[in-house]
Amino acid sequence: MHYAPDIASPPPALRRGLACCNDACRHAHACQATRGGAAELLAMREIVERAGPFADGDRLVQPDAPHLAAYAVLSGLAMTVGGGRVLAFHLPGELFALDATRQGQHTHSVVAVGKTWFCRFPRAATDALCEHDDAIASHLRGLRREERRRPAQGDDAPALARVASFLADLLTRRRQVEPDTTFIPLPMSRDDIGSYLGMSAATVTRMLARLRADGILTVRNDGVCIADAAALAGHGLTA
Amino acid sequence: MHYAPDIASPPPALRRGLACCNDACRHAHACQATRGGAAELLAMREIVERAGPFADGDRLVQPDAPHLAAYAVLSGLAMTVGGGRVLAFHLPGELFALDATRQGQHTHSVVAVGKTWFCRFPRAATDALCEHDDAIASHLRGLRREERRRPAQGDDAPALARVASFLADLLTRRRQVEPDTTFIPLPMSRDDIGSYLGMSAATVTRMLARLRADGILTVRNDGVCIADAAALAGHGLTA
DNA sequence: CGACTCTTTGATCCTGATCAACACCGGTGG
DNA sequence: CCACCGGTGTTGATCAGGATCAAAGAGTCG
């Protein structure tokens, strides 16, 4: 729980545009910025700036600061923090910080978890693209709606179900990028997971232990290996 | 928890329009249909039909049925039920069933609690009024927004706070009609209150007992008398 | 008056929070 | 290379809030 101790010295953008955002990128096929296959979206590649590396706890954006860009995770992990709670985790290939207040300010903090690189989409360039191209505009509108809707989480479900469906969600999202993976990296602390799920860190550990005892996963010190994804989904049922 | 056993034989509208909806009505000054003092709203009075009496458990509207009217409580109490939960209580003077699906169907059930009379605002007449008069249209739009927003309740607050703020809410709403009252009728069962607040009936009783022990209210078999409204509000704080 | 339902109250159980002890790691400095 | 250290993860013990079950009052309606 030591996030955002100070604003990190903002690392410079090292490379820009097609020089860094092209089919050679690990997530090119699945990146939320260009996903969907529509050729029009490829224009997004030309406005990208690569930003990083950020170290653990560095704050990428802070609330009330002017909204100058949206971001995608290139590698590592980021989380959105607000009101003393973790509101979302962002995996490689996922866009975030799309939303802004009516006054054009960020609504939450976003902090890096471990060493992390980002792809930066400057606001001005993005807006220009949206005016030119309806496909891009509606694509981003959809993602923004999705981001805003997230916080609606299962609230009074038992702890085991919340952890299970959290992992199932992470697995699904990771498989957008790496289809057959069974490993879910968890570089964030148990406290952060607990904050996100509304339970104590000790309970997170206990629920993982229970899933392990049920043969559903194995716990490593950098994440979990899902042995039985179907059973995992089964535990997440609210029934 | 015996609501909606069967569809009640729909009681006929006994009187219509100004013959039943005028300044002689107990809630005329506070009825949500005409509240705000704007003279334009008084046109609502001419389209009213009085409906009742309904008996305990009678279903006034049911989900997926065509949305033919909105209602206000004239006397008694109504509750909106959906998904096996009580979603809202409706006090005398309050409008409900304003919302409909895109296909023009009701979204939830509404059942009477005890002997209850309603004021019925037929959909066709209401729509006609709205086209004629922007004041009425925006007034109803506002109420509809309010109705839709309701379900956002304190969810993980302790039981005592939930009961306290529930009573504080009821008191505030009752005072719209009867400004200095300290009595809150509770004709619904403890089960229904518990369902609404997300706790067991036994816990509702226990929390009422605790508030009584603290001298905040006295419990009667038909409701509670608030002795210290300020302290009641204090218990509702999420702090 | 009697059957029934609802409320109240007590006893027990279960879930998850909290606290504390301990193991495990990744460093740092000798 | 090894001892030391602080942070994190795990695990056990205890605790509190509320659910559940059961039994005993209190109305209510026939």
Side-chain angles (χ1 to χ4, degrees):
Chain A
M1 292 286 219
H2 57 81
Y3 28 81
D6 267 316
I7 300 121
S9 52
L14 299 183
R15 307 179 75 176
R16 293 164 183 269
L18 293 172
C20 68
C21 187
N22 52 54
D23 285 336
C25 172
R26 214 180 326 166
H27 328 112
H29 60 293
C31 178
Q32 284 189 341
T34 57
R35 188 193 300 170
E40 307 93 295
L41 296 181
L42 296 183
M44 291 287 284
R45 289 183 170 181
E46 299 176 16
I47 66 171
V48 168
E49 300 171 359
R50 182 164 298 180
F54 286 77
D56 190 90
D58 284 350
R59 213 193 303 191
L60 181 62
V61 308
Q62 51 187 342
D64 302 329
H67 180 273
L68 300 176
Y71 296 85
V73 179
L74 176 61
S75 69
L77 184 77
M79 57 188 188
T80 295
V81 178
R85 302 225 156 176
V86 173
L87 302 176
F89 294 105
H90 308 290
L91 274 50
E94 295 181 345
L95 272 171
F96 61 87
L98 292 157
D99 217 353
T101 64
R102 199 163 294 259
Q103 287 78 37
Q105 299 170 324
H106 282 290
T107 52
H108 300 296
S109 288
V110 178
V111 310
V113 179
K115 181 180 166 186
T116 302
W117 288 83
F118 296 97
C119 302
R120 184 183 144 92
F121 297 85
R123 170 102 191 232
T126 308
D127 287 352
L129 277 186
C130 284
E131 274 193 38
H132 249 272
D133 189 334
D134 275 352
I136 292 181
S138 81
H139 183 66
L140 292 182
R141 236 193 328 272
L143 288 173
R144 198 173 297 131
R145 232 196 325 271
E146 218 176 287
E147 181 181 37
R148 206 180 303 207
R149 199 161 310 175
R150 276 285 172 76
Q153 267 248 164
D155 40 334
D156 58 344
L160 181 63
R162 289 220 294 283
V163 171
S165 62
F166 169 65
L167 293 177
D169 178 49
L170 286 187
L171 186 62
T172 301
R173 285 156 63 190
R174 255 188 69 71
R175 284 185 171 171
Q176 301 275 340
V177 170
E178 201 166 338
D180 295 322
T181 190
T182 61
F183 177 63
I184 303 176
L186 296 174
M188 69 292 254
S189 73
R190 296 287 188 263
D191 273 280
D192 292 331
I193 297 174
S195 169
Y196 176 67
L197 294 175
M199 66 186 70
S200 71
T203 299
V204 174
T205 291
R206 271 184 245 273
M207 296 306 128
L208 288 178
R210 203 184 306 180
L211 291 172
R212 174 168 47 99
D214 290 358
I216 290 175
L217 52 77
T218 57
V219 178
R220 292 172 24 183
N221 56 19
D222 57 347
V224 295
C225 269
I226 305 301
D228 187 344
L232 183 67
H235 276 80
L237 295 180
T238 319
Chain B
M1 292 284 221
H2 58 81
Y3 30 80
D6 267 315
I7 300 120
S9 53
L14 299 182
R15 306 178 76 176
R16 293 164 183 270
L18 293 172
C20 67
C21 187
N22 51 55
D23 284 337
C25 172
R26 212 181 328 165
H27 328 114
H29 61 292
C31 178
Q32 283 189 342
T34 57
R35 188 193 300 169
E40 307 93 294
L41 295 182
L42 296 184
M44 291 287 284
R45 291 183 169 181
E46 299 176 16
I47 66 171
V48 168
E49 302 170 359
R50 182 165 298 182
F54 286 77
D56 190 89
D58 284 350
R59 214 194 301 192
L60 181 61
V61 307
Q62 51 186 344
D64 302 329
H67 180 274
L68 301 176
Y71 296 85
V73 178
L74 176 60
S75 69
L77 183 76
M79 58 188 189
T80 295
V81 177
R85 303 226 156 176
V86 173
L87 301 176
F89 293 105
H90 308 290
L91 273 50
E94 296 182 345
L95 272 172
F96 61 87
L98 291 157
D99 217 352
T101 65
R102 198 163 296 256
Q103 287 77 37
Q105 300 169 323
H106 283 290
T107 53
H108 299 295
S109 288
V110 178
V111 309
V113 178
K115 180 180 166 185
T116 303
W117 288 82
F118 296 97
C119 301
R120 183 183 145 92
F121 297 85
R123 170 98 190 236
T126 309
D127 287 353
L129 277 187
C130 284
E131 274 194 39
H132 249 274
D133 189 333
D134 275 353
I136 291 181
S138 82
H139 182 65
L140 293 182
R141 235 191 331 271
L143 288 173
R144 198 172 298 131
R145 230 196 325 273
E146 216 176 288
E147 181 182 37
R148 205 180 306 208
R149 197 163 309 177
R150 276 283 172 77
Q153 267 249 163
D155 40 335
D156 57 343
L160 181 63
R162 289 220 294 283
V163 171
S165 62
F166 168 65
L167 292 177
D169 178 49
L170 286 188
L171 185 61
T172 301
R173 285 156 63 191
R174 256 189 68 72
R175 285 186 172 171
Q176 300 276 339
V177 170
E178 201 167 340
D180 295 321
T181 189
T182 61
F183 178 63
I184 303 176
L186 296 174
M188 68 292 254
S189 73
R190 296 287 188 264
D191 274 281
D192 292 330
I193 297 175
S195 168
Y196 176 67
L197 294 175
M199 67 186 69
S200 72
T203 299
V204 174
T205 291
R206 272 184 245 273
M207 295 307 127
L208 288 177
R210 204 185 303 181
L211 291 172
R212 174 168 47 103
D214 291 358
I216 290 175
L217 52 76
T218 56
V219 179
R220 293 173 21 183
N221 56 19
D222 56 348
V224 295
C225 268
I226 305 302
D228 187 344
L232 183 67
H235 277 80
L237 295 180
T238 320

